[in-house]
């Protein structure tokens, strides 16, 4: 029998999706499952985007330009400029989701066995994208005790080797909800300039900031033009995860020329999804105001309820819609599976994402879970109630 590749063997499972079969079994048993495991918003997609697809009068579903519709890139450029981001249309390549933008970024900056430094915990697919690209992830650990703040810059510097090509951050962070300050971004900017590295910033949650905090983009740092690469997506901003439209943004002309070759190799991003994404840019500010208010209220409810559970530690997120909770257990993976396979409270249970999958360091985060507060407030309260009772039952079960 032919053998699959080492790359295929090494590809990590998704901590977000690997428990799906157990959730399906739970549902077949008649249990209701509250999905706290995945960042799929229940916020309605802007009607203007849905209508644009419904009303599209196409006779031929053609390829688009490999960089995406020119009209979309021009409109997206203006959207960024309205947010004080100095980005022109030639600085943008439209991609099939933020995921492809990250793959283009890695492919354009890294060779096999090169290294990328990432503060962990980090978005789990960074591991998968790196394995697929033959790139070594070098983690620098942030901790729940500091709210997952940027680790000391010295921790980054001592990890830099001749193989290091980039530092990758998610801001605001998935899975932590941490929002890097302007001072922290400037610290990273100085170190990448000093060591001639790229700074890749996944900024897909840019709009989701709370408590008066403001997002500061790598695109706003003077002198970083040849180092900064921004990753973006419509998935969360407009609740359009299924559109699979994102973009890679940089002012480095050589980088964008390389990324364009990857874009040409996959031909073009999907047409209907670009139509929807371009139209979504007409969404009024009131939509975002309502969404941000709703998420902040959900966050406050979730954190308040979690803090009532004895033995649970949680860091309050400043952005995005995730938090990491440390539970009084030894294996979050076993607990998450048990929740679906063996537990229910009056016919209801919860699905969480074991946080170890958001680390590349071994044996870290084993007692942590990521929770996405993408459910309505009443559902979040009920979910934490189930979690509280489940922890009591699991303590007896695991004796």
């Amino acid at each position: 029998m032919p053998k699959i590749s080492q790359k295929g063997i090494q590809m990590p499972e998704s901590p977000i999706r690997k428990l799906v079969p157990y959730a399906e079994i739970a549902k077949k048993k008649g249990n209701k499952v509250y999905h706290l495991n995945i960042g799929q918003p229940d916020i309605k997609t802007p009607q203007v985007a849905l209508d644009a697809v419904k009303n599209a009068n196409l006779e031929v579903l053609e390829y688009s330009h490999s960089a995406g519709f020119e009209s979309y890139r021009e409109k997206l450029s203006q959207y960024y400029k309205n947010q004080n981001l100095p980005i022109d249309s030639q600085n943008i390549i439209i991609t099939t989701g933020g995921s492809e933008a990250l793959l283009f970024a890695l492919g354009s900056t890294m060779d096999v066995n090169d290294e990328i430094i990432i503060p962990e915990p980090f978005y789990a697919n960074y591991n998968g994208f790196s394995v697929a690209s033959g790139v070594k992830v070098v983690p620098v650990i942030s901790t729940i005790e500091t709210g997952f703040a940027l680790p000391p810059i010295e921790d980054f510097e001592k990890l830099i080797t001749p193989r290091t090509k980039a530092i990758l951050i998610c801001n605001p962070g998935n899975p932590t909800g941490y929002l890097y300050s302007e001072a922290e971004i400037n610290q990273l900017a100085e170190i990448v300039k000093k060591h001639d590295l790229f700074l890749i910033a996944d900024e897909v949650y840019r709009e989701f900031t709370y408590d008066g905090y403001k997002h500061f983009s790598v695109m706003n740092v003077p002198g970083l033009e040849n180092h900064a690469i921004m990753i973006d997506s419509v998935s969360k901003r407009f609740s359009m995860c299924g559109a699979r439209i994102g973009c890679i943004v940089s002012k480095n002309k050589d980088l964008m020329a390389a990324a364009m070759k990857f874009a040409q190799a996959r031909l073009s991003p999907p047409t209907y999804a670009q139509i929807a994404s371009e139209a979504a840019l007409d969404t009024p500010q009131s939509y975002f105001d309502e969404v941000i208010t709703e998420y902040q209220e959900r966050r406050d409810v979730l954190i308040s309820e979690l803090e009532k559970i004895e033995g649970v530690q949680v860091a309050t997120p400043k952005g995005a819609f995730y938090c990491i909770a440390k539970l009084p257990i030894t294996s979050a993976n076993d607990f998450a599976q048990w929740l679906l396979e063996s537990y229910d409270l009056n016919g209801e249970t919860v699905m969480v994402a074991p946080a170890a999958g958001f680390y590349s360091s071994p044996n870290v985060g084993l007692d942590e879970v990521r929770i996405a507060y993408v459910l309505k407030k009443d559902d979040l309260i009920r979910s934490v109630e189930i979690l509280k009772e489940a922890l009591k039952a699991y303590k007896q079960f695991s004796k």
Side-chain angles (χ1 to χ4, degrees):
M1 177 178 171
K3 293 183 179 179
I4 65 169
S5 67
Q6 283 300 306
K7 188 184 292 184
I9 293 169
Q10 292 167 8
M11 267 304 269
E13 284 186 300
S14 167
I16 306 165
R17 296 174 181 269
K18 69 178 184 179
L19 295 174
V20 166
Y22 299 101
E24 291 171 343
I25 291 169
K27 291 174 185 176
K28 286 177 181 177
K29 290 194 294 186
N31 291 333
K32 178 176 181 177
V33 178
Y34 290 94
H35 285 271
L36 304 177
N37 62 303
I38 192 165
Q40 171 57 64
D42 64 354
I43 304 295
K44 190 176 184 300
T45 302
Q47 192 62 42
V48 66
L50 300 175
D51 288 344
V53 173
K54 291 175 185 175
N55 298 329
N57 187 21
L58 301 181
E59 294 184 357
V60 178
L61 198 56
E62 300 176 329
Y63 291 123
S64 76
H65 192 289
S66 292
F69 295 164
E70 182 178 3
S71 58
Y72 180 32
R73 286 181 281 124
E74 291 284 355
K75 200 169 177 181
L76 190 54
S77 166
Q78 190 56 54
Y79 174 82
Y80 289 135
K81 288 174 180 174
N82 290 343
Q83 296 195 334
N84 298 313
L85 297 176
I87 296 169
D88 296 321
S89 60
Q90 64 265 30
N91 307 138
I92 302 169
I93 294 175
I94 305 303
T95 57
T96 309
S99 297
E100 187 177 69
L102 278 160
L103 286 167
F104 286 2
L106 291 174
S108 301
T109 61
M110 306 259 168
D111 290 311
V112 172
N113 295 324
D114 280 343
E115 298 173 356
I116 186 166
I117 299 174
I118 315 177
E120 62 177 2
F122 50 70
Y123 176 47
N125 280 341
Y126 295 165
N127 254 337
F129 298 146
S130 297
V131 169
S133 302
V135 171
K136 180 183 177 183
V137 171
V138 178
V140 53
I141 298 177
S142 61
T143 65
I144 197 168
E145 286 75 21
T146 66
F148 299 105
L150 186 74
I153 210 69
E154 298 79 19
D155 290 359
F156 287 85
E157 195 139 28
K158 66 187 180 185
L159 295 173
I160 294 172
T161 74
R163 281 285 186 186
T164 307
K165 292 294 181 68
I167 295 172
L168 169 59
I169 61 170
C170 186
N171 186 33
N174 173 8
T176 65
Y178 186 76
L179 179 70
Y180 292 110
S181 67
E182 182 175 347
E184 288 172 321
I185 295 297
N186 284 327
Q187 282 185 305
L188 289 169
E190 288 305 312
I191 197 172
V192 298
K193 286 190 287 186
K194 177 181 176 181
H195 294 278
D196 203 23
L197 308 175
F198 288 100
L199 179 56
I200 305 172
D202 182 346
E203 298 186 357
V204 304
Y205 298 96
R206 181 189 304 106
E207 279 80 7
F208 302 99
T209 63
Y210 315 117
D211 304 323
Y213 288 101
K214 300 295 182 184
H215 180 264
F216 185 75
S217 174
V218 294
M219 302 304 293
N220 282 130
V221 182
L224 202 63
E225 290 81 6
N226 285 327
H227 301 265
I229 303 171
M230 185 180 87
I231 305 301
D232 207 356
S233 169
V234 304
S235 292
K236 315 301 181 177
R237 177 174 302 127
F238 299 115
S239 195
M240 290 170 57
C241 295
R244 308 314 306 136
I245 291 291
C247 62
I248 180 172
V249 178
S250 181
K251 295 196 170 189
N252 184 315
K253 292 181 180 178
D254 290 342
L255 178 281
M256 293 302 280
M260 187 59 180
K261 289 186 278 188
F262 285 93
Q264 289 168 344
R266 65 82 166 99
L267 305 184
S268 67
T271 295
Y272 273 116
Q274 288 186 84
I275 290 171
S277 300
E278 183 173 337
L281 292 171
D282 292 326
T283 303
Q285 182 59 39
S286 58
Y287 172 90
F288 297 106
D289 293 341
E290 291 173 9
V291 170
I292 299 306
T293 298
E294 176 65 22
Y295 276 127
Q296 182 161 330
E297 290 175 357
R298 291 180 182 188
R299 179 204 64 173
D300 292 345
V301 164
L302 175 67
I303 299 301
S304 174
E305 294 301 309
L306 286 171
E307 287 178 338
K308 294 176 185 177
I309 304 177
E310 184 179 356
V312 170
Q313 183 179 0
V314 61
T316 301
K318 297 177 182 176
F321 37 68
Y322 309 99
C323 72
I324 292 284
K326 184 187 287 285
L327 305 181
I329 54 178
T330 56
S331 172
N333 191 69
D334 291 348
F335 176 64
Q337 183 173 328
W338 174 84
L339 276 170
L340 298 168
E341 202 172 29
S342 306
Y343 181 80
D344 71 273
L345 182 65
N346 299 324
E348 298 181 324
T349 191
V350 294
M351 187 175 183
V352 294
F358 297 92
Y359 293 85
S360 62
S361 296
N363 301 317
V364 179
L366 298 179
D367 57 352
E368 297 174 357
V369 295
R370 187 194 74 167
I371 295 175
Y373 45 95
V374 293
L375 304 181
K376 293 177 175 59
K377 291 185 281 291
D378 287 346
D379 288 344
L380 289 172
I381 291 170
R382 177 59 177 162
S383 297
V384 178
E385 180 185 357
I386 295 167
L387 189 64
K388 178 180 179 180
E389 295 305 315
L391 284 167
K392 293 178 186 175
Y394 189 70
K395 187 176 182 181
Q396 298 299 318
F397 168 81
S398 56
K399 276 186 176 179

